[in-house]
Amino acid sequence: MKYSRRFLALAAVTTLWALAPHSDALHAAPARTRVVASLPNLGSIAAAIGGDRIDLTTIAVGTQDAHFVDPKPSFMVKLRSADLLLINGLDLEVGWIPPITQGARNAKILQGAAGYIDCSTGVQVMEIPSSLSRAEGDVHPYGNPHYLTDPLNAEVVAGTIAEALKRADPASADAFEEGRKAFVKRLHESLFGKELVDLVGAVKLAREARAGTLDAFLDGTSIGGATLRTRLGGWLGKMQAVRGKPVVTYHKDYTYFAARFGMNVVDYVEPKPGIQPSAKHLEDLVGRLKQGEAHVIITRPFVEHRSTDYLAQKTGVTAIILPTEVGGAPQATDFFTLFDFVTGQTVQAFTGPAPGAGG
Amino acid sequence: MNRCRHPFRVSALTALVLGLVSAGELRAQSAAPPAPSPDPPGEMNALRKEIQDLKDQVRALQEKVAALATAAPPTVATPPPEPAPPSVPLPAAAASAPARSQNLLNPAISAVFQAIGSSSLKRKDDLNGFDLSEAEVALQSVVDPYAKVDMFFSFPSDASPDVEEGYVTTLALPGSMQLKGGRFKEAFGKWNTLHTHAFPTVDRPDALVNFFGEESLTNDGMSLSVLIPNPKNLYIDSITEVGTAREGTAFNSQARSLTWVEHLSAFFTPSPSGNLELGLTAAFGRTGPSGALTQAIDACGSCGPLTPRSSLASRVQGLDVTYKWRPPRMNVYRSLLWQTEVLRSHRDLEVLTPALTLDSSSVSSLGGYTYLEWQWTKRWRAGARYDLSGFPDSRRARLWAASAVLKFQASEFQEIRFQIKHTQRNDEAASRFNGEADDNRVFFEWIPVIGAHGAHKF
């Protein structure tokens, strides 16, 4: 009986400690909206919009595979007091967001609650499978979730995040709207170039780009005898050098990137999404690359590089490591420098000396 | 879900806004200073055509909105609030809205089984051969915004189908609390909470088998988990559980009695790659007469009527340490796991004396294991385990065992394992195993997972 009493006393003390009023003092609520972003890109966009009016925490790091983040208990602590949880959605985080949200004991950020923000809302999703089978590898049933490799989709995401912030902190709504506008303005100027944006208007350009008619518009519209394409700057202007060029990517996470910048993905190093390349598949790729089907391979920071190194060595193609998330390379410190770096590396791979895949 | 509930209306609104914005742009451009001047005829014609197109679109959309307003309310189902099963539902393009809605409301369904081949290298015994040792079907879903349910049905090859676990867990209690009710594996250390297919090795550590039986320590009861606030904002979890033990050696009273478990765990991240978890567990309850006593009474021809006590005090304490090293950049390719648990049992015991009477006493025993695993590529891992264990109803019985395991993961949904294990028992322990003082056993296990199986705890 003595043991039973000690046992029950221990359980009671721990429970009472958790429920005691001073527990709030340990996590005193800051005046700022507490935002947790699942991925660094979402965190970077939220930081640009919210500034010092939000208290931001990001779970994954940029060098990490967003499919396979470990659902650590320490993440549950971060989520316990969050007002908003920003997720990429489309099942990208299906292996780790459900366990940490359900373990966080915070009803505000559970799926279906107001604080659970699926940032894929409103995005034009590509590659929605018409049938589902794991025989096709690790397919995403709702479509390709790597939509933020198209920087234009950040405009939609910024709108979603800004609206969520306004709902969470109506008193700062004007500031969040200003933050969103500033982010989108900079995004458009970075993507199209300031000159073209000033000339044509960002809304028009973004609409043409989303409709897939930007090329026709730029080539079909002249100013002073020169088409608008001559005024195209920014990332799209820089990437004109690679338009139409064939490329092999490791995984399907550059699909949106290739579509936006007009590259042609001819094959993948993975035979199927998430499936490690076999020797047979690599040999098949070697044969095709030797025939000149592509001259550049784009791989990811967090996968093995033996396969791409092998392909580069056997065929002489250039293999580059492109981050998909902020922090995926030292130069990629925010969403804008990420695409500065990614577009620069891509152009250099096609036109300059080979950087090599490396370690 | 922050999803639009009426896509058509938003599309119409978007088109209207775009039309107005476009018109605004054009007005602004026409009012702007002349330089630089676009090619007038070509540009103007293109813009005129675009305006006409937009006007046509707006007109068509207005007609549709008017038609909708007079029609019956739309029957498009709103997105369900439950977590979407990872891969079961049909994609949007492949299902009608009502059918899609019904699919999304279904629980996540998965099935796992273990095909095990086992053979002793020293002798022929009943365990040699292949066996579909267990199949498991899981249904998991949220109930409503306040709770979720996890159901695991077990289909063992040598027993009737059973509910291995089935519990409801709250999601929205105040005070960082989480309440669980139903049948569940007790929060005793780390390994006890795992399902068989999630074991790091093919077999269960000997200490857990000796102390809790062939199955995990499982209760029908309640569990309260409380995250304990602390200045360092560490994850410190206190779990208090009470219930009726289903099986096992340490807690299997013939009289229906309660078993209590208190588990305190703390999780640290000393580096971005390193993860350390420490746990302390105390459990107490009642147990029945030992198997040795029952056998002795049954075998005793000259004993008078002996009635052993059906309810004896029993308690078990545990210490668990887990270190996981997984570099974020290569966590799919490189990892190290070290897990150790030590258990101490202290229970009342009745024995048959030479005078053929029952004598009561207490007995303490120790057991534990340590397991080390290294992953060097995406698909391959190797591990080693050392077991040392007494038996809760014996002062002298001991065994130790050493195992090596090699694991191949074809994908995250399929794993093949090979294990070899050497076991050494002292005389008293050997008497419980047909006098076999040692054994060398090899295992082969194939574990496929189909469906939407929920993520395991880290």
Side-chain angles (χ1 to χ4, degrees), chain B residues 324-458:
Chain B
K324 289 182 182 176
W325 176 83
R326 289 165 74 96
R329 180 169 175 159
M330 299 296 284
N331 70 342
V332 181
Y333 298 90
R334 302 271 188 283
S335 67
L336 180 135
L337 165 68
W338 175 62
Q339 187 168 303
T340 296
E341 289 190 61
V342 178
L343 292 82
R344 177 183 178 272
S345 164
H346 186 80
R347 59 162 285 177
D348 291 346
L349 185 70
E350 281 188 316
V351 294
L352 189 63
T353 64
L356 302 181
T357 59
L358 291 176
D359 182 33
S360 293
S361 63
S362 296
V363 61
S364 296
S365 48
L366 281 170
Y369 71 90
T370 184
Y371 176 70
L372 184 67
E373 180 180 287
W374 170 243
Q375 176 193 8
W376 66 94
T377 72
K378 188 173 184 179
R379 289 177 156 170
W380 288 95
R381 297 160 198 242
R385 197 183 79 208
Y386 180 78
D387 294 279
L388 181 63
S389 180
F391 292 78
D393 57 354
S394 169
R395 289 189 177 84
R396 288 183 293 274
R398 300 273 189 284
L399 65 79
W400 67 265
S403 304
V405 62
L406 182 65
K407 303 197 278 192
F408 172 75
Q409 209 173 45
S411 73
E412 57 185 305
F413 306 107
Q414 190 182 173
E415 187 166 277
I416 296 170
R417 301 164 167 184
F418 303 90
Q419 183 176 336
I420 183 163
K421 179 179 182 183
H422 172 75
T423 305
Q424 196 76 44
R425 308 178 184 99
N426 67 8
D427 290 343
E428 188 159 330
S431 67
R432 296 164 179 250
F433 293 86
N434 301 322
E436 296 164 6
D438 63 348
D439 193 11
N440 294 323
R441 184 164 286 279
V442 291
F443 300 90
F444 164 79
E445 186 178 33
W446 196 344
I447 308 174
V449 182
I450 57 172
H453 195 70
H456 293 136
K457 284 177 70 176
F458 181 65

Side-chain angles (χ1 to χ4, degrees), chain A residues 180-263:
Chain A
R180 185 196 69 81
K181 283 180 180 172
F183 175 82
V184 171
K185 182 173 186 290
R186 187 179 170 193
L187 180 72
H188 287 151
E189 291 178 355
S190 299
L191 182 61
F192 302 110
K194 188 171 186 309
E195 183 188 0
L196 190 63
V197 169
D198 289 343
L199 197 61
V200 179
V203 174
K204 167 79 174 167
L205 289 169
R207 190 171 68 238
E208 296 285 358
R210 281 203 190 87
T213 54
L214 182 65
D215 285 330
F217 173 71
L218 295 178
D219 292 332
T221 310
S222 300
I223 299 175
T227 64
L228 283 180
R229 184 173 290 283
T230 59
R231 309 296 182 97
L232 182 64
W235 298 323
L236 278 169
K238 189 179 3 174
M239 290 285 281
Q240 290 206 87
V242 304
R243 286 194 66 77
K245 295 281 176 68
V247 65
V248 170
T249 68
Y250 191 97
H251 180 72
K252 286 195 169 185
D253 42 5
Y254 301 99
T255 303
Y256 293 86
F257 178 76
R260 174 57 57 218
F261 294 106
M263 290 190 297

Side-chain angles (χ1 to χ4, degrees), chain A residues 90-91 94 111 127-134 139-143, chain B residues 1 3 79-80 82-110 140-141 450-453:
Chain A
L90 302 178
D91 271 2
V94 70
Q111 186 166 13
E127 296 179 338
I128 298 174
S130 56
S131 63
L132 284 178
S133 168
R134 286 207 178 122
V139 292
H140 292 280
Y142 302 108
Chain B
M1 282 295 271
R3 285 193 184 279
E82 59 136 354
S87 57
V88 169
L90 290 171
S96 66
R100 187 167 68 246
S101 169
Q102 286 163 9
N103 282 342
L104 288 169
L105 285 170
N106 283 338
I109 303 170
S110 66
Q140 296 171 284
S141 176
I450 57 172
H453 195 70

Side-chain angles (χ1 to χ4, degrees), chain B residues 137-324:
Chain B
V137 173
L139 305 178
Q140 296 171 284
S141 176
V142 296
V143 180
D144 53 28
Y146 313 110
K148 71 182 180 97
V149 159
D150 296 84
M151 297 284 294
F152 300 93
F153 300 94
S154 171
F155 298 84
S157 62
D158 56 355
S160 303
D162 197 8
V163 177
E164 185 178 4
E165 285 192 283
Y167 52 85
V168 55
T169 309
T170 64
L171 298 172
L173 279 188
S176 296
M177 293 193 296
Q178 205 159 53
L179 192 63
K180 189 161 77 173
R183 175 177 297 171
F184 48 86
K185 295 176 185 297
E186 295 275 20
F188 197 108
K190 293 290 285 184
W191 200 299
N192 187 70
T193 61
L194 300 176
H195 287 208
T196 318
H197 68 268
F199 285 178
T201 56
V202 176
D203 68 329
R204 193 184 301 268
D206 290 304
L208 296 181
V209 174
N210 294 347
F211 285 38
F212 299 143
E214 291 294 335
E215 300 295 329
S216 305
L217 177 60
T218 304
N219 268 3
D220 290 353
M222 303 289 288
S223 168
L224 177 67
S225 163
V226 181
L227 290 186
I228 299 179
N230 58 90
K232 297 281 188 186
N233 222 11
L234 296 173
Y235 179 91
I236 302 177
D237 191 13
S238 164
I239 300 176
T240 307
E241 297 180 337
V242 59
T244 306
R246 296 192 69 223
E247 301 175 31
T249 306
F251 307 106
N252 67 344
S253 168
Q254 291 170 354
R256 198 167 172 83
S257 61
L258 294 179
T259 299
W260 293 80
V261 174
E262 171 65 25
H263 178 67
L264 197 62
S265 67
F267 183 84
F268 308 89
T269 49
S271 70
S273 304
N275 307 279
L276 177 66
E277 184 173 355
L278 304 175
L280 288 171
T281 314
F284 73 90
R286 314 294 293 183
T287 188
S290 69
L293 176 62
T294 307
Q295 285 178 10
I297 292 174
D298 289 345
C300 177
S302 55
C303 292
L306 294 172
T307 308
R309 288 159 59 194
S310 62
S311 179
L312 302 160
S314 173
R315 56 182 191 255
V316 183
Q317 292 113 14
L319 164 71
D320 60 270
V321 182
T322 303
Y323 181 77
K324 289 182 182 176

